[in-house]
Coordinates of all heavy atoms in Angstrom, one line a residue:
M1 N 0.8 -1.2 0.0 CA 0.0 -0.1 0.0 C 0.9 1.3 -0.1 O 0.5 2.3 -0.5 CB -0.9 0.0 1.3 CG -2.0 -0.9 1.2 SD -3.3 -0.6 -0.1 CE -4.2 0.7 0.5
A2 N 2.0 1.2 0.6 CA 2.8 2.4 0.7 C 3.8 2.6 -0.5 O 4.5 3.5 -0.4 CB 3.7 2.4 2.0
T3 N 3.7 1.8 -1.4 CA 4.7 1.8 -2.5 C 4.3 2.9 -3.5 O 5.2 3.3 -4.3 CB 4.8 0.5 -3.3 OG1 3.4 0.0 -3.6 CG2 5.3 -0.5 -2.4
S4 N 3.0 3.3 -3.7 CA 2.7 4.3 -4.7 C 3.1 5.6 -4.3 O 2.9 6.0 -3.1 CB 1.1 4.2 -5.0 OG 0.8 5.3 -5.9
R5 N 3.6 6.5 -5.1 CA 3.9 7.8 -4.9 C 2.8 8.8 -5.1 O 2.9 10.0 -4.5 CB 5.2 8.4 -5.7 CG 6.3 7.7 -5.4 CD 7.5 8.1 -6.4 NE 7.1 7.7 -7.8 CZ 7.4 8.3 -8.9 NH1 8.3 9.3 -8.8 NH2 7.1 7.9 -10.1
A6 N 1.8 8.4 -5.8 CA 0.5 9.2 -6.0 C -0.2 9.3 -4.7 O -0.6 8.2 -4.1 CB -0.2 8.7 -7.0
P7 N -0.5 10.5 -4.2 CA -1.4 10.7 -3.2 C -2.8 10.3 -3.6 O -3.4 10.7 -4.5 CB -1.3 12.2 -2.8 CG -0.3 12.8 -3.7 CD 0.0 11.8 -4.8
K8 N -3.3 9.2 -3.0 CA -4.6 8.7 -3.3 C -5.7 9.4 -2.6 O -5.3 10.1 -1.6 CB -4.7 7.2 -2.8 CG -3.6 6.3 -3.5 CD -4.1 5.8 -4.9 CE -3.0 4.8 -5.5 NZ -3.2 4.5 -6.7
G9 N -6.8 9.3 -3.1 CA -7.9 10.1 -2.3 C -8.2 11.4 -2.8 O -9.1 12.0 -2.5
L10 N -7.2 11.9 -3.6 CA -7.5 13.2 -4.2 C -8.3 13.2 -5.5 O -9.0 14.1 -5.9 CB -6.1 13.9 -4.4 CG -5.3 14.3 -3.2 CD1 -4.0 14.8 -3.6 CD2 -6.1 15.3 -2.2
Y11 N -8.0 12.0 -6.2 CA -8.7 11.7 -7.4 C -10.2 11.5 -7.2 O -10.5 10.7 -6.3 CB -8.0 10.5 -8.0 CG -8.8 9.7 -9.0 CD1 -9.0 10.3 -10.3 CD2 -9.2 8.5 -8.7 CE1 -9.6 9.5 -11.2 CE2 -9.8 7.7 -9.6 CZ -10.1 8.2 -11.0 OH -10.7 7.5 -11.9
V12 N -11.0 12.2 -7.8 CA -12.5 12.1 -7.5 C -13.3 11.5 -8.7 O -14.4 11.2 -8.5 CB -13.1 13.5 -7.2 CG1 -12.5 14.0 -5.8 CG2 -12.9 14.6 -8.3
G13 N -12.7 11.2 -9.8 CA -13.5 10.6 -10.8 C -12.8 10.7 -12.2 O -11.7 11.3 -12.3
T14 N -13.5 10.4 -13.3 CA -13.0 10.5 -14.6 C -13.8 11.5 -15.4 O -15.0 11.4 -15.2 CB -12.9 9.2 -15.3 OG1 -12.2 8.3 -14.5 CG2 -12.4 9.4 -16.8
C15 N -13.2 12.4 -16.0 CA -14.0 13.4 -16.7 C -14.8 12.9 -17.8 O -14.4 12.1 -18.7 CB -13.0 14.5 -17.3 SG -13.7 15.8 -18.0
P16 N -16.1 13.3 -17.9 CA -16.9 12.7 -19.0 C -16.6 13.5 -20.4 O -16.9 12.9 -21.4 CB -18.4 13.1 -18.6 CG -18.2 14.3 -17.6 CD -16.8 14.0 -17.0
I17 N -15.8 14.6 -20.4 CA -15.5 15.3 -21.6 C -14.2 14.8 -22.2 O -14.2 14.5 -23.4 CB -15.5 16.8 -21.2 CG1 -16.8 17.4 -20.6 CG2 -15.1 17.6 -22.5 CD1 -16.7 18.6 -20.0
C18 N -13.1 14.8 -21.4 CA -11.8 14.4 -21.9 C -11.2 13.2 -21.3 O -10.1 12.9 -21.6 CB -10.9 15.7 -21.8 SG -10.6 16.2 -20.2
H19 N -12.0 12.5 -20.5 CA -11.5 11.2 -19.8 C -10.2 11.3 -19.0 O -9.6 10.4 -18.7 CB -11.4 10.2 -20.9 CG -12.6 10.1 -21.8 ND1 -13.8 9.5 -21.2 CD2 -12.9 10.5 -23.0 CE1 -14.7 9.5 -22.2 NE2 -14.1 10.1 -23.3
K20 N -9.8 12.6 -18.5 CA -8.7 12.7 -17.6 C -9.2 12.6 -16.2 O -10.4 12.6 -15.9 CB -8.1 14.0 -17.8 CG -7.3 14.1 -19.2 CD -6.7 15.5 -19.4 CE -5.5 15.7 -18.5 NZ -4.3 15.4 -19.1
H21 N -8.3 12.3 -15.2 CA -8.6 12.2 -13.9 C -9.1 13.6 -13.4 O -8.5 14.6 -13.8 CB -7.5 11.8 -13.1 CG -7.2 10.3 -13.2 ND1 -6.3 9.6 -12.5 CD2 -7.8 9.4 -14.1 CE1 -6.3 8.4 -12.9 NE2 -7.3 8.1 -13.9
Q22 N -10.1 13.6 -12.5 CA -10.6 14.9 -11.9 C -10.1 15.1 -10.6 O -10.1 14.1 -9.8 CB -12.1 14.9 -12.0 CG -12.7 14.9 -13.4 CD -14.1 14.6 -13.3 OE1 -14.7 13.7 -12.6 NE2 -15.0 15.5 -14.0
Y23 N -9.8 16.3 -10.2 CA -9.5 16.7 -8.8 C -10.4 17.9 -8.5 O -10.7 18.7 -9.3 CB -8.0 17.1 -8.8 CG -7.2 15.9 -9.2 CD1 -6.7 15.8 -10.6 CD2 -6.8 14.8 -8.4 CE1 -6.0 14.8 -11.0 CE2 -6.2 13.8 -8.8 CZ -5.7 13.7 -10.1 OH -5.0 12.6 -10.5
R24 N -10.6 18.1 -7.2 CA -11.5 19.1 -6.7 C -10.9 20.5 -6.8 O -11.7 21.5 -7.0 CB -12.0 18.8 -5.3 CG -13.2 17.9 -5.2 CD -13.4 17.6 -3.8 NE -12.2 17.3 -3.2 CZ -12.1 17.0 -1.9 NH1 -13.1 16.9 -1.1 NH2 -10.9 16.7 -1.4
T25 N -9.7 20.6 -6.6 CA -9.1 21.9 -6.6 C -7.7 22.0 -7.5 O -7.1 20.9 -7.7 CB -8.7 22.3 -5.1 OG1 -7.7 21.5 -4.7 CG2 -9.9 22.3 -4.3
R26 N -7.3 23.2 -7.8 CA -6.0 23.3 -8.6 C -4.9 22.7 -7.7 O -4.1 22.1 -8.2 CB -5.9 24.8 -8.8 CG -4.6 25.1 -9.3 CD -4.3 26.7 -9.2 NE -5.2 27.5 -10.1 CZ -4.8 27.7 -11.4 NH1 -3.6 27.5 -11.8 NH2 -5.5 28.5 -12.3
Q27 N -5.0 23.0 -6.4 CA -3.8 22.5 -5.5 C -3.8 21.0 -5.5 O -2.7 20.4 -5.5 CB -4.3 22.9 -4.0 CG -3.1 23.7 -3.4 CD -3.5 24.2 -2.1 OE1 -4.6 23.8 -1.5 NE2 -2.7 24.8 -1.3
D28 N -5.0 20.3 -5.5 CA -4.9 18.8 -5.6 C -4.4 18.3 -6.9 O -3.6 17.5 -6.8 CB -6.4 18.2 -5.5 CG -6.9 18.3 -4.0 OD1 -6.1 18.7 -3.0 OD2 -8.1 17.9 -3.9
A29 N -4.8 18.9 -8.0 CA -4.2 18.6 -9.3 C -2.8 18.8 -9.3 O -2.0 17.9 -9.8 CB -5.0 19.4 -10.4
R30 N -2.3 20.0 -8.9 CA -0.9 20.2 -8.9 C 0.0 19.2 -8.0 O 1.0 18.9 -8.4 CB -0.7 21.6 -8.4 CG -1.1 22.6 -9.4 CD -0.8 24.0 -8.9 NE 0.5 24.2 -8.5 CZ 1.4 25.0 -9.3 NH1 1.0 25.3 -10.6 NH2 2.7 25.1 -9.0
R31 N -0.6 18.8 -6.9 CA 0.1 18.0 -5.9 C 0.4 16.6 -6.5 O 1.4 16.0 -6.5 CB -0.8 17.9 -4.7 CG 0.0 17.3 -3.4 CD -0.9 17.6 -2.3 NE -0.7 16.5 -1.3 CZ -1.6 16.2 -0.4 NH1 -2.7 17.0 -0.2 NH2 -1.5 15.1 0.3
V32 N -0.8 16.2 -7.1 CA -0.7 14.8 -7.8 C 0.3 14.9 -8.9 O 1.0 14.0 -9.2 CB -2.1 14.3 -8.2 CG1 -2.0 13.1 -8.9 CG2 -2.8 14.0 -7.0
G33 N 0.1 15.8 -9.8 CA 1.0 16.0 -10.9 C 2.5 16.0 -10.6 O 3.3 15.4 -11.1
R34 N 2.8 16.8 -9.5 CA 4.2 16.9 -9.0 C 4.7 15.5 -8.5 O 5.8 15.1 -8.7 CB 4.2 17.9 -7.8 CG 4.5 19.3 -8.5 CD 5.1 20.3 -7.4 NE 4.4 20.1 -6.2 CZ 3.4 20.8 -5.8 NH1 3.0 21.9 -6.6 NH2 2.8 20.8 -4.6
S35 N 3.8 14.7 -7.8 CA 4.3 13.5 -7.3 C 4.4 12.4 -8.5 O 5.3 11.5 -8.4 CB 3.3 13.0 -6.2 OG 2.1 12.4 -6.8
L36 N 3.6 12.5 -9.5 CA 3.8 11.5 -10.6 C 4.8 11.9 -11.6 O 5.3 11.1 -12.2 CB 2.4 11.5 -11.3 CG 1.2 10.9 -10.6 CD1 0.1 10.9 -11.5 CD2 1.5 9.5 -10.1
Y37 N 5.1 13.2 -11.7 CA 6.1 13.6 -12.8 C 7.1 14.7 -12.1 O 7.0 15.8 -12.6 CB 5.4 14.3 -13.9 CG 4.4 13.4 -14.6 CD1 3.0 13.5 -14.4 CD2 4.8 12.4 -15.6 CE1 2.2 12.7 -15.0 CE2 3.9 11.5 -16.1 CZ 2.6 11.6 -15.8 OH 1.7 10.8 -16.5
P38 N 7.9 14.1 -11.2 CA 8.8 15.1 -10.5 C 9.7 15.7 -11.5 O 10.2 15.0 -12.5 CB 9.5 14.3 -9.5 CG 9.2 12.9 -9.9 CD 8.0 12.9 -10.7
G39 N 9.9 17.0 -11.5 CA 10.9 17.6 -12.4 C 10.2 18.1 -13.8 O 10.9 18.7 -14.6
H40 N 9.0 17.6 -14.0 CA 8.3 18.1 -15.3 C 7.6 19.4 -15.0 O 7.3 19.8 -13.9 CB 7.4 17.0 -15.7 CG 7.8 15.7 -16.2 ND1 7.4 15.2 -17.3 CD2 8.8 14.9 -15.7 CE1 8.2 14.0 -17.5 NE2 9.0 13.9 -16.6
V41 N 7.5 20.2 -16.2 CA 6.7 21.3 -16.1 C 5.2 21.0 -16.3 O 4.8 20.6 -17.4 CB 7.2 22.3 -17.2 CG1 6.3 23.6 -17.0 CG2 8.6 22.7 -16.9
L42 N 4.4 21.2 -15.3 CA 3.1 20.9 -15.4 C 2.2 22.1 -15.1 O 2.6 23.0 -14.5 CB 2.7 19.8 -14.3 CG 3.5 18.4 -14.5 CD1 3.2 17.6 -13.3 CD2 3.1 17.7 -15.8
R43 N 1.0 22.0 -15.6 CA 0.0 23.1 -15.1 C -1.3 22.4 -14.7 O -1.6 21.4 -15.3 CB -0.1 24.0 -16.3 CG -1.0 23.5 -17.4 CD -1.0 24.4 -18.6 NE -1.6 23.8 -19.7 CZ -2.9 23.8 -20.1 NH1 -3.6 24.8 -19.5 NH2 -3.4 23.3 -21.1
A44 N -2.0 23.0 -13.9 CA -3.3 22.6 -13.5 C -4.4 23.4 -14.3 O -4.1 24.7 -14.3 CB -3.6 22.7 -11.9
Y45 N -5.4 22.9 -14.8 CA -6.4 23.7 -15.5 C -7.7 23.2 -15.2 O -8.0 22.0 -14.9 CB -6.1 23.8 -16.9 CG -6.1 22.4 -17.6 CD1 -7.2 21.9 -18.1 CD2 -5.0 21.6 -17.6 CE1 -7.3 20.6 -18.9 CE2 -5.0 20.4 -18.2 CZ -6.1 19.9 -18.8 OH -6.0 18.6 -19.4
R46 N -8.8 24.1 -15.3 CA -10.1 23.8 -14.9 C -10.8 23.2 -16.2 O -10.6 23.5 -17.2 CB -10.8 25.0 -14.6 CG -12.1 24.7 -13.7 CD -12.7 26.0 -13.2 NE -13.9 25.5 -12.4 CZ -13.9 25.7 -11.2 NH1 -13.1 26.4 -10.5 NH2 -15.0 25.2 -10.5
C47 N -11.6 22.2 -15.9 CA -12.5 21.5 -17.0 C -13.8 21.3 -16.3 O -13.9 20.4 -15.4 CB -11.8 20.3 -17.4 SG -12.6 19.4 -18.8
G48 N -14.8 21.9 -16.8 CA -16.1 21.7 -16.1 C -16.0 22.2 -14.5 O -15.5 23.2 -14.3
E49 N -16.5 21.3 -13.7 CA -16.5 21.7 -12.3 C -15.2 21.2 -11.5 O -15.0 21.5 -10.5 CB -17.6 21.0 -11.5 CG -19.0 21.4 -11.9 CD -20.1 20.8 -11.2 OE1 -19.9 20.4 -9.9 OE2 -21.1 20.5 -11.7
Y50 N -14.4 20.6 -12.3 CA -13.2 19.9 -11.7 C -11.9 20.3 -12.3 O -11.9 21.2 -13.2 CB -13.3 18.5 -11.7 CG -14.4 18.0 -10.9 CD1 -15.6 17.6 -11.4 CD2 -14.2 17.8 -9.4 CE1 -16.6 17.1 -10.7 CE2 -15.3 17.3 -8.7 CZ -16.5 17.0 -9.2 OH -17.6 16.6 -8.5
W51 N -10.7 19.9 -11.7 CA -9.4 20.3 -12.3 C -8.7 19.1 -12.9 O -8.9 18.0 -12.3 CB -8.6 20.9 -11.1 CG -9.1 22.3 -10.7 CD1 -10.2 22.5 -9.9 CD2 -8.6 23.5 -11.1 NE1 -10.4 23.8 -9.7 CE2 -9.4 24.4 -10.5 CE3 -7.7 23.9 -12.0 CZ2 -9.3 25.9 -10.6 CZ3 -7.4 25.3 -12.1 CH2 -8.3 26.3 -11.5
H52 N -7.9 19.3 -13.9 CA -6.9 18.4 -14.3 C -5.6 18.8 -14.2 O -5.4 20.1 -14.1 CB -7.2 18.0 -15.8 CG -8.5 17.6 -16.1 ND1 -9.2 16.7 -15.4 CD2 -9.3 17.9 -17.2 CE1 -10.5 16.5 -16.0 NE2 -10.6 17.1 -17.1
F53 N -4.5 18.0 -14.5 CA -3.2 18.5 -14.7 C -2.7 18.0 -16.0 O -3.2 17.0 -16.4 CB -2.2 18.2 -13.6 CG -1.9 16.9 -13.4 CD1 -0.9 16.3 -14.2 CD2 -2.5 16.1 -12.5 CE1 -0.6 15.0 -14.1 CE2 -2.3 14.6 -12.4 CZ -1.3 14.1 -13.2
G54 N -1.7 18.7 -16.6 CA -1.1 18.2 -17.8 C 0.2 18.9 -18.1 O 0.5 19.9 -17.5
H55 N 0.8 18.3 -19.1 CA 2.2 19.1 -19.5 C 1.7 20.2 -20.4 O 0.7 20.3 -21.1 CB 2.9 18.0 -20.3 CG 3.5 16.9 -19.5 ND1 2.9 15.7 -19.3 CD2 4.6 16.8 -18.9 CE1 3.6 15.0 -18.6 NE2 4.7 15.6 -18.3
I56 N 2.6 21.2 -20.2 CA 2.4 22.4 -21.0 C 2.8 22.3 -22.4 O 3.8 21.8 -22.7 CB 3.2 23.6 -20.3 CG1 2.7 23.9 -18.8 CG2 3.1 24.9 -21.0 CD1 3.5 24.9 -18.2
P57 N 1.8 22.6 -23.2 CA 2.0 22.4 -24.7 C 3.4 23.3 -25.1 O 3.6 24.2 -24.7 CB 0.8 22.9 -25.4 CG -0.2 22.9 -24.4 CD 0.5 23.0 -23.1
Q58 N 4.1 22.7 -26.1 CA 5.2 23.2 -26.5 C 5.1 24.6 -27.1 O 6.0 25.5 -26.7 CB 5.8 22.4 -27.7 CG 6.4 21.0 -27.3 CD 7.6 21.2 -26.5 OE1 8.4 22.3 -26.6 NE2 7.8 20.3 -25.5
D59 N 4.2 24.9 -27.8 CA 3.9 26.3 -28.3 C 3.6 27.3 -27.1 O 4.1 28.5 -27.2 CB 2.9 26.4 -29.4 CG 1.5 25.8 -28.9 OD1 1.4 25.2 -27.9 OD2 0.6 26.0 -29.7
V60 N 3.0 26.9 -26.1 CA 2.7 27.7 -25.0 C 4.1 28.0 -24.2 O 4.4 29.0 -23.8 CB 1.7 27.1 -24.0 CG1 1.6 27.9 -22.7 CG2 0.4 27.0 -24.6
R61 N 4.9 26.9 -24.1 CA 6.1 27.0 -23.3 C 7.1 28.0 -24.3 O 7.8 28.8 -23.5 CB 6.9 25.7 -23.2 CG 6.1 24.9 -22.2 CD 6.7 23.5 -22.2 NE 8.1 23.7 -21.5 CZ 8.8 22.7 -21.1 NH1 8.4 21.4 -21.5 NH2 10.1 22.8 -20.7
R62 N 7.0 28.0 -25.4 CA 7.7 29.0 -26.3 C 7.3 30.3 -26.3 O 7.9 31.3 -26.8 CB 7.9 28.4 -27.7 CG 8.8 27.2 -27.9 CD 9.2 26.9 -29.3 NE 8.1 26.8 -30.1 CZ 7.5 25.5 -30.5 NH1 8.2 24.4 -30.1 NH2 6.5 25.4 -31.2
G63 N 6.1 30.5 -25.8 CA 5.4 31.9 -25.7 C 4.8 32.2 -27.0 O 4.5 33.4 -27.2
E64 N 4.5 31.3 -27.7 CA 3.7 31.7 -29.0 C 2.2 31.8 -28.8 O 1.6 32.5 -29.6 CB 4.0 30.5 -30.1 CG 5.4 30.5 -30.6 CD 5.8 29.3 -31.4 OE1 4.9 28.6 -31.7 OE2 7.1 29.2 -31.6
R65 N 1.8 31.2 -27.8 CA 0.3 31.7 -27.4 C 0.3 31.4 -25.8 O 1.0 30.8 -25.3 CB -0.6 30.8 -28.1 CG -0.6 29.3 -27.8 CD -1.7 28.5 -28.5 NE -1.5 27.0 -28.4 CZ -2.2 26.3 -27.5 NH1 -2.9 26.9 -26.7 NH2 -1.9 25.0 -27.4
P66 N -0.7 32.2 -25.3 CA -0.9 32.2 -23.9 C -1.6 31.0 -23.5 O -2.4 30.3 -24.2 CB -1.8 33.4 -23.6 CG -2.4 33.6 -24.8 CD -1.6 33.2 -26.0
A67 N -1.4 30.4 -22.3 CA -2.1 29.2 -21.7 C -3.5 29.7 -21.6 O -3.8 30.8 -21.3 CB -1.5 28.9 -20.4
P68 N -4.5 28.7 -22.0 CA -5.9 29.1 -21.9 C -6.3 29.3 -20.4 O -5.7 28.7 -19.5 CB -6.6 27.8 -22.4 CG -5.6 26.7 -22.4 CD -4.2 27.4 -22.5
Ligands
ZN1 ZN1 -11.9 17.3 -18.7

């Protein structure tokens, strides 16, 4: 039980729109993202009533367009 690095219990379900894991707050999404992908550049973003995390798209990181 103690082997997983992902904080369990923060995940609240699967998004019906994009099928990603849903978290209740931006903080929860960021926390899980950091534990799963240490050292990666991640962002938390809202989708419907919940939050997801994801890698920042290359064009956003280059400054070619603002993050949504
Ligand atoms: Zn979604």
